[in-house]
Amino acid sequence: MADKDLQVREKQELQTEAEHTRPGLVFTPTVDIFESEQEITVLADMPGVASDGVTIDLHNNELKISGEVEPQGSETERYLLREYDTGRFHRHFTISDRIDQSRISASMKDGVLRLVLPKAEKAKPRRIEVKAE
Amino acid sequence: MAVIRWKPGFFGWHRDPFSEMDRLRREMDRIAGAFAGGRGIAPGAGVFPALNMSEDDHNLYVRAELPGVAPENIEITTKENNLILKGERKIAAEGEKVSYHRRERDAGKFRRIISLPTRVDAEKVTAVCKNGVLTVILPKAAEAKPRQIAVESQ
């Protein structure tokens, strides 16, 4: 996997049932979601989003991630080539497990959000012993 | 029938190559615009990363979105009016105990070359990576900067 060349992927614009109330483009970040016995981890690519620009909302098993971006470049610049657009990021998921809301942690590094959602005690799998008779 | 403009040239009549080129270019721009949904986005070079390039009076700016690429894994070189971006995006393994719900993020290497529209001062090129957005600032060479010419009255 490490020797593979990266391919260009067009940024996906968000398709929502709700209408946007603010102008500007909204994109869906690409994500990795994985879980271990203890927690669910979400990694989301949100280039241009600073750590204070991230909003995470978990309500009734509905997880919403949003990121605000600063404009790239200043007003005085003129575009010569434009291969990508910029805009906010938004994506939402349903989480089936019970999450311990008090221990959720999130960090941003190089434009990647790492969100750790620890499972509540109840949701952790219990190993059921099968007794031989 | 195609209508082609003819112009009297120095050696008689011949087709004007410049107006023909101009027409072709406009046609290409129109097609490119239609592909991108009319948002003014170029169809791209098919090479990672997608780039935006802009200019002001003093500098050229080349930007790329490289989330998760550590600055030490990006290599920038200029060579005869070309800018070369090389690098690698590494995604650390999360261990064998995890199972994936989604896996959309890619890891891998990239190499892209882009030719610059003006001459730049290669000694003074700077690059910053902030929140996963790379900005390369290329100061224009003195001869490429716009010069204002004052008109004197007599």
Side-chain angles (χ1 to χ4, degrees):
Chain A
M1 195 160 125
D3 291 312
K4 200 178 66 174
D5 279 355
L6 281 169
Q7 302 298 314
V8 190
R9 274 207 265 171
E10 208 175 313
K11 287 170 85 176
Q12 294 298 309
E13 261 192 82
L14 180 70
Q15 311 286 328
T16 46
E17 64 280 16
E19 282 180 62
H20 301 314
T21 48
R22 281 193 295 157
L25 297 167
V26 185
F27 295 96
T28 56
T30 51
V31 297
D32 281 354
I33 304 176
F34 50 86
E35 69 171 274
S36 65
E37 284 182 16
Q38 288 80 35
E39 59 205 21
I40 295 170
T41 309
V42 180
L43 300 177
D45 288 340
M46 300 200 286
V49 178
S51 50
D52 55 2
V54 185
T55 316
I56 294 152
D57 177 28
L58 181 65
H59 185 66
N60 290 342
N61 286 353
E62 190 111 333
L63 173 69
K64 289 182 186 166
I65 298 169
S66 317
E68 295 292 325
V69 291
E70 291 167 22
Q72 295 178 13
S74 65
E75 295 281 310
T76 54
E77 293 175 28
R78 296 173 296 274
Y79 273 105
L80 300 171
L81 172 72
R82 208 164 174 180
E83 292 179 351
Y84 67 86
D85 250 327
T86 54
R88 304 191 297 278
F89 290 98
H90 183 86
R91 194 152 172 184
H92 77 262
F93 305 96
T94 39
I95 303 280
S96 53
D97 280 300
R98 293 179 68 94
I99 300 299
D100 185 348
Q101 301 243 9
S102 63
R103 291 194 295 129
I104 293 174
S105 67
S107 58
M108 278 300 287
K109 194 188 176 222
D110 297 332
V112 180
L113 169 74
R114 186 181 191 98
L115 175 66
V116 181
L117 307 158
K119 291 181 190 174
E121 283 300 320
K122 252 195 270 177
K124 284 187 188 169
R126 264 188 313 144
R127 197 186 162 105
I128 295 144
E129 295 289 333
V130 180
K131 284 179 202 161
E133 288 193 16
Chain B
M1 197 188 80
V3 182
I4 298 158
R5 191 144 54 102
W6 292 74
K7 256 190 176 179
F10 193 70
F11 298 107
W13 289 77
H14 64 84
R15 192 191 280 188
D16 178 9
F18 294 106
S19 69
E20 188 65 6
M21 288 278 269
D22 221 39
R23 189 192 61 77
L24 250 168
R25 192 179 52 77
R26 274 201 309 276
E27 185 72 1
M28 293 296 279
D29 283 354
R30 192 185 59 75
I31 294 165
F35 272 134
R39 265 203 275 114
I41 296 296
V47 186
F48 188 92
L51 298 176
N52 279 356
M53 180 156 54
S54 58
E55 65 165 357
D56 60 18
D57 290 347
H58 308 287
N59 302 306
L60 289 176
Y61 302 88
V62 176
R63 293 192 178 83
E65 295 188 330
L66 300 169
V69 182
E72 61 265 26
N73 289 332
I74 305 171
E75 191 189 313
I76 299 160
T77 37
T78 53
K79 192 183 168 191
E80 295 166 2
N81 248 33
N82 288 316
L83 175 71
I84 303 163
L85 300 176
K86 276 188 204 175
E88 184 174 2
R89 176 167 143 136
K90 294 173 181 170
I91 294 181
E94 297 293 341
E96 287 177 5
K97 288 190 173 167
V98 300
S99 17
Y100 278 84
H101 289 277
R102 303 263 164 125
R103 204 165 192 175
E104 301 167 354
R105 299 165 68 243
D106 287 325
K109 291 181 180 172
F110 58 89
R111 298 177 296 269
R112 177 152 186 194
I113 182 162
I114 184 164
S115 51
L116 302 168
T118 55
R119 296 193 65 81
V120 296
D121 189 344
E123 297 292 314
K124 290 182 186 149
V125 175
T126 53
V128 283
C129 208
K130 192 188 170 198
N131 299 324
V133 180
L134 172 74
T135 305
V136 186
I137 302 163
L138 306 117
K140 291 183 186 176
E143 70 260 29
K145 285 185 186 172
R147 234 165 302 171
Q148 198 158 14
I149 290 130
V151 180
E152 287 172 40
S153 66
Q154 284 191 323

